Amino acid sequence: MSTVGNSTNIFWQECPVGKNERQKLLNQKGCVVWITGLSGSGKSTLACSLGRELHSKGKLSYILDGDNLRHGLNKDLGFKAEDRTENIRRVGEVAKLFSDAGLICIASLISPYRKDRDACRAMLTDSTFIEVFMNMPLEVCEKRDAKGLYKLARAGKIKGFTGIDDPYEPPLHCEIELREKDGECPTPSAMAGEVVYYLEEKGFLKAD
Ligand SMILES: Nc1ncnc2c1ncn2[C@@H]1O[C@H](COP(=O)(O)OS(=O)(=O)O)[C@@H](OP(=O)(O)O)[C@H]1O
Ligand SMILES: Nc1ncnc2c1ncn2[C@@H]1O[C@H](COP(=O)(O)OP(=O)(O)O)[C@@H](O)[C@H]1O
């Protein structure tokens, strides 16, 4: 019996089928591919390309996209610092559950604050948190402006927009960094290929 947060008198319930058994069933290892970067850096595009590539290899993945989760689980949250922190904490907890289920969980969120991403990393054991940094220059993201949000932010119509008047703290020790080469952004499929290569090398695409 214990107290966790505001919950008192709670017990941990063990389940009959364990993570190893689920991983064997799926012939893969559960993990979290956490894609971080500015709005417009290509997070969702990479998440989709990676999800498709894994599917074609017979691997089960699931995408947790920041924009989408803000339509449901996180619709009570805005973009002030404490809301972003709570957003990342919740998604980290959900990603941990998916990883425990044996899935390759692909989380794509701006996740601008280093301490919040590091807190998610700390929730996961055995190097199963794989941080992928979309290191695209602000100018590139702003030029793309797929949703017209940078224009609104520059005009002062959106306050606290990441990269404009709210900080983005780049990772110091990420597992994978994706950036332009010779002034060109690699294709989504090339980027997904890099992540798949990492997963293969580290043994995530087979069970023990
Ligand atoms: N103020 C502000 N700053 C940044 N982004 C904003 C803001 N307001 C709305 N949006 C839109 O919300 C999307 C980011 O949601 P996230 O949950 O990934 O953000 S965060 O991780 O909590 O910072 C983000 O989506 P992406 O462009 O896919 O990154 C934007 O479409
Ligand atoms: N590798 C890429 N090369 C060229 N354009 C890209 C690439 N990845 C994404 N884009 C384009 O950039 C814009 C933003 O991509 P998106 O995946 O929505 O970014 P984010 O999820 O980080 O906001 C879209 O118009 C998309 O087509």
Side-chain angles (χ1 to χ4, degrees):
M1 192 164 71
S2 65
T3 299
V4 181
N6 291 328
S7 299
T8 50
N9 304 322
I10 51 166
F11 300 79
W12 184 264
Q13 178 66 51
E14 291 298 340
C15 301
V17 181
K19 183 177 183 185
N20 273 340
E21 287 175 272
R22 288 189 288 275
Q23 293 187 149
K24 283 207 172 79
L25 191 72
L26 296 167
N27 191 29
Q28 62 186 52
K29 291 191 194 86
C31 62
V32 176
V33 176
W34 189 281
I35 307 172
T36 174
L38 291 170
S39 175
S41 59
K43 302 182 297 296
S44 305
T45 306
L46 171 62
C48 292
S49 184
L50 177 60
R52 174 54 62 195
E53 182 63 24
L54 288 170
H55 187 80
S56 73
K57 286 179 168 295
K59 302 299 161 191
L60 190 59
S61 69
Y62 193 79
I63 296 173
L64 299 176
D65 189 273
D67 250 332
N68 292 355
L69 293 171
R70 283 174 174 278
H71 284 75
L73 177 68
N74 294 331
K75 67 179 170 191
D76 56 325
L77 302 175
F79 287 91
K80 53 183 201 283
E82 56 267 43
D83 282 8
R84 292 190 202 243
T85 293
E86 175 60 9
N87 184 32
I88 301 315
R89 188 194 71 78
R90 286 184 200 171
V91 179
E93 291 286 357
V94 174
K96 181 181 166 181
L97 294 176
F98 275 104
S99 170
D100 186 55
L103 273 69
I104 297 161
C105 180
I106 305 167
S108 68
L109 298 97
I110 297 179
S111 40
Y113 309 141
R114 205 174 285 134
K115 69 169 175 33
D116 297 341
R117 296 190 304 265
D118 287 348
C120 292
R121 179 184 289 277
M123 285 180 206
L124 285 131
T125 53
D126 306 327
S127 307
T128 52
F129 183 86
I130 300 148
E131 192 171 3
V132 179
F133 175 31
M134 302 298 291
N135 190 1
M136 296 301 144
L138 175 64
E139 307 79 68
V140 170
C141 302
E142 191 165 357
K143 201 164 161 212
R144 287 176 176 168
D145 206 8
K147 300 169 188 160
L149 298 179
Y150 281 102
K151 201 162 174 233
L152 290 174
R154 288 288 186 198
K157 290 182 181 153
I158 301 178
K159 302 279 183 219
F161 195 78
T162 305
I164 305 296
D165 55 351
D166 211 64
Y168 178 80
E169 299 168 357
L172 299 176
H173 307 290
C174 60
E175 280 67 19
I176 302 173
E177 180 178 346
L178 298 171
R179 49 162 68 231
E180 290 185 320
K181 290 183 184 105
D182 303 321
E184 292 278 320
C185 183
T187 63
S189 124
M191 289 186 179
E194 254 191 74
V195 180
V196 169
Y197 178 78
Y198 180 94
L199 295 173
E200 253 161 7
E201 282 290 295
K202 299 288 178 186
F204 287 106
L205 303 189
K206 59 180 185 349
D208 275 338

